[in-house]
Amino acid sequence: MAWLALPGMAAASAPALLTPITLAPGINALPDIAGTGEDGSIAQLWRQNNKVRGQHIFLVKVGNATAVLEGRDQINDAPDVGDDMIRSVRFARGDYRGTSTLYMLIANRDIGTSPYAAAPTHIQSFALVKNHESFDFTPVRSFVATEKYCHADAALLAELNFPLSPTYAGRATPTGC
């Protein structure tokens, strides 16, 4: 498994080392998902909208509790037509404040009138933490990439050295253009 560091962390905190998680369609079991001793899972589902486009829907569970990101329990990507991923959602394992937990990485391209053009890309990382009796994804880092990208997975590779998705359909260039 590859390790990667989230660059640019504050000097007072060490960079997070993350181990990418490759998901299969359906339910993916993860032991001790949030560092609390409770097993969990990530459901990777596909919703087709009866046109060219569809999207993955991700649901994260810890025991019987559903984890939320910014109040939402469903996290979606936005593949557009495949070779120009607008929003990529990926998962990894890593330490957050001394506890091994699940991380979620999101790359989101600010597309204009065309999803095919290179676009500014926002990259965010979140750690799964217990908040009283619930589980939430708390923000760890957020930045706008210096380059413009035509594929959100290409942005994660170039900016964080995060491996391409097994379903990557973009161009074999650093920006995916």
Side-chain angles (χ1 to χ4, degrees):
M1 291 187 179
W3 290 86
L4 64 119
L6 292 178
M9 299 292 286
S13 63
L17 294 176
L18 302 179
T19 304
I21 296 173
T22 301
L23 299 177
I27 306 296
N28 296 266
L30 293 173
D32 194 17
I33 191 169
T36 60
E38 297 173 81
D39 294 339
S41 63
I42 302 171
Q44 177 182 280
L45 311 168
W46 179 257
R47 177 175 27 198
Q48 186 67 37
N49 67 357
N50 295 326
K51 296 180 183 176
V52 173
R53 295 173 179 88
Q55 64 187 358
H56 288 103
I57 300 168
F58 301 96
L59 300 167
V60 177
K61 300 221 29 161
V62 182
N64 292 323
T66 302
V68 296
L69 171 66
E70 300 168 340
R72 298 181 319 266
D73 60 2
Q74 293 183 7
I75 300 104
N76 302 337
D77 65 9
D80 195 47
V81 294
D83 64 345
D84 59 346
M85 179 75 92
I86 296 167
R87 176 182 162 108
S88 178
V89 177
R90 305 292 299 283
F91 294 91
R93 294 285 304 187
D95 283 347
Y96 179 72
R97 297 185 175 169
T99 301
S100 176
T101 192
L102 180 70
Y103 272 77
M104 181 181 350
L105 305 172
I106 298 176
N108 196 36
R109 296 173 50 236
D110 289 337
I111 60 169
T113 56
S114 170
Y116 303 109
T121 304
H122 297 263
I123 297 177
Q124 300 171 286
S125 62
F126 302 88
L128 181 60
V129 297
K130 188 168 188 174
N131 184 8
H132 303 290
E133 295 303 313
S134 66
F135 289 87
D136 303 313
F137 282 99
T138 189
V140 175
R141 181 162 185 252
S142 178
F143 67 97
V144 177
T146 55
E147 296 289 327
K148 292 183 178 182
Y149 293 92
C150 293
H151 197 292
D153 275 346
L156 290 174
L157 175 63
E159 300 290 330
L160 300 179
N161 197 30
F162 202 84
L164 293 172
S165 164
T167 59
Y168 181 77
R171 293 181 180 86
T173 65
T175 61
C177 298

